[in-house]
Amino acid sequence: MNQVTTTGQTVDKAIESALKELNTTRDYVEVKIIDEGKKGVFGIFGSRPAIVKVMLKIDPVEEAKQFLKDVCRQMDVDVTIHAERDGKRVFFSLSGENIGNIIGKRGKTLNALQTLTQIVLNHHSSQFLIAILDAENYRKRREESLIQLANHLARKVIREGKQISLEPMPSYERKIIHSALANEDRVTTYSVGTEPNRHLVIAPK
Amino acid sequence: MKQLIETIVKPLVEHPEDVQIDVIEERNHITYKLSVHKNDVGKVIGKQGRVAKAIRTVVYAHAQATEQKKVYLKISE
């Protein structure tokens, strides 16, 4: 049941009984007042009950979570998903066996799922939301290995005095490398090319 | 495989009832022809083909793990 129409002495009372019937709270519904009602004289003569229509709001986070779950199940991967919203960013952390199939080579599949989840998320949301997917702490591990790679390549650039181009990466991965080398004053970093082939270059100063 | 494509595509479009997938199996590969409602074509392709690329990435990843043959995904009206 997604919506009910209820009556009550006042609008508030009508809403209250609707919430009870839907077994939810005020935050998860949309209320449409059909009739505000009338108190009448002494509350007896000419009184008219208030009528409201209460609809369950579609929670974009729940909807996106369900989408992810369905897709993973179709990929024969059994996952548990934990969703958390922080302002306009929504974090989904996935865990389970065979999670490698969901991540893919260098996070390719995970990034694709992230794109799709974001669309589903915004399909039902009035505010623009950003989906961030993580699987078994993959993002954290990737960040560490990117920083390691950045430092390693920076040393090589300094040693050989020649610039090095990296492979194409999504913007947030490039950002990790840019900021990792921001304080290294013997090299400079910049990105060239257009998405999705935009890649980073580390050059000597 | 067909179900996976449906699961991905249906929540993305305005007309889920018009999502149709035809399977054409050939000797060396299988082609999945995805057709959606006229107004939804843009939705499944996306800006610069971003959405189409994401759908293909997920579908191909699963194909690699389960299918013997190479899999293609075609999108049409």
Side-chain angles (χ1 to χ4, degrees):
Chain A
M1 189 165 46
N2 293 322
Q3 61 174 64
V4 288
T5 308
T6 52
T7 55
Q9 276 174 315
T10 62
V11 170
D12 284 340
K13 277 187 182 155
I15 293 172
E16 208 175 293
S17 64
L19 292 178
K20 216 174 263 175
E21 225 172 290
L22 289 169
N23 197 17
T24 181
T25 56
R26 191 71 181 80
D27 297 333
Y28 297 104
V29 293
E30 218 167 294
V31 177
K32 209 168 144 195
I33 297 166
I34 295 169
D35 194 331
E36 291 207 11
K38 235 159 98 190
K39 272 225 177 89
V41 186
F42 307 124
I44 306 164
F45 304 109
S47 73
R48 213 169 62 216
I51 305 169
V52 293
K53 192 170 158 189
V54 176
M55 289 157 283
L56 267 181
K57 244 192 268 179
I58 296 171
D59 182 3
V61 176
E62 275 307 311
E63 207 67 15
K65 194 172 154 184
Q66 191 57 45
F67 167 76
L68 259 180
K69 214 173 226 172
D70 292 344
V71 172
C72 289
R73 191 179 304 133
Q74 290 297 333
M75 293 179 82
D76 306 322
V77 181
D78 200 15
V79 291
T80 41
I81 301 167
H82 179 76
E84 203 180 297
R85 187 171 166 179
D86 176 20
K88 63 176 182 172
R89 287 196 283 194
V90 186
F91 297 89
F92 296 90
S93 44
L94 287 68
S95 60
E97 273 176 56
N98 289 332
I99 207 87
N101 289 351
I102 297 289
I103 298 174
K105 192 184 170 200
R106 300 216 174 96
K108 212 169 93 183
T109 316
L110 190 67
N111 288 341
L113 282 173
Q114 183 169 283
T115 307
L116 297 171
T117 307
Q118 179 158 326
I119 296 164
V120 175
L121 197 58
N122 284 302
H123 207 124
H124 302 284
S125 169
S126 45
Q127 186 197 1
F128 181 71
L129 296 171
I130 297 168
I132 298 168
L133 256 64
D134 197 357
E136 298 278 3
N137 256 333
Y138 169 78
R139 298 271 184 230
K140 187 82 201 149
R141 283 186 280 136
R142 176 81 175 149
E143 188 184 334
E144 278 162 15
S145 61
L146 281 175
I147 292 172
Q148 216 174 16
L149 174 79
N151 289 327
H152 176 78
L153 289 178
R155 278 198 297 276
K156 195 172 167 188
V157 168
I158 295 164
R159 200 169 56 234
E160 297 177 359
K162 268 193 288 192
Q163 64 176 44
I164 295 176
S165 299
L166 278 74
E167 63 178 78
M169 276 174 210
S171 59
Y172 46 87
E173 293 193 358
R174 292 197 307 270
K175 191 179 170 188
I176 292 169
I177 297 183
H178 280 306
S179 49
L181 296 179
N183 292 328
E184 173 57 80
D185 43 16
R186 285 170 295 176
V187 296
T188 159
T189 59
Y190 55 89
S191 297
V192 288
T194 50
E195 298 283 4
N197 291 317
R198 199 161 164 80
H199 65 272
L200 216 136
V201 177
I202 305 175
K205 243 181 199 167
Chain B
M1 180 58 74
K2 206 171 151 182
Q3 260 186 323
L4 171 68
I5 301 171
E6 270 177 22
T7 315
I8 296 172
V9 175
K10 281 194 173 164
L12 304 178
V13 297
E14 301 290 338
H15 305 274
E17 67 281 0
D18 286 345
V19 172
Q20 208 195 323
I21 298 158
D22 295 319
V23 189
I24 304 158
E25 187 155 0
E26 274 163 76
R27 228 170 54 166
N28 302 319
H29 60 264
I30 308 169
T31 306
Y32 289 88
K33 272 180 101 172
L34 166 68
S35 57
V36 294
H37 190 272
K38 208 165 64 199
N39 297 341
D40 283 331
V41 178
K43 285 220 162 69
V44 292
I45 294 175
K47 227 190 257 174
Q48 308 269 320
R50 267 188 63 204
V51 183
K53 199 182 161 200
I55 296 172
R56 288 204 174 99
T57 304
V58 176
V59 170
Y60 293 169
H62 184 58
Q64 217 176 20
T66 55
E67 301 272 355
Q68 312 285 324
K69 295 179 183 176
K70 189 139 182 56
V71 164
Y72 293 105
L73 178 67
K74 274 195 173 169
I75 298 168
S76 59
E77 209 169 88

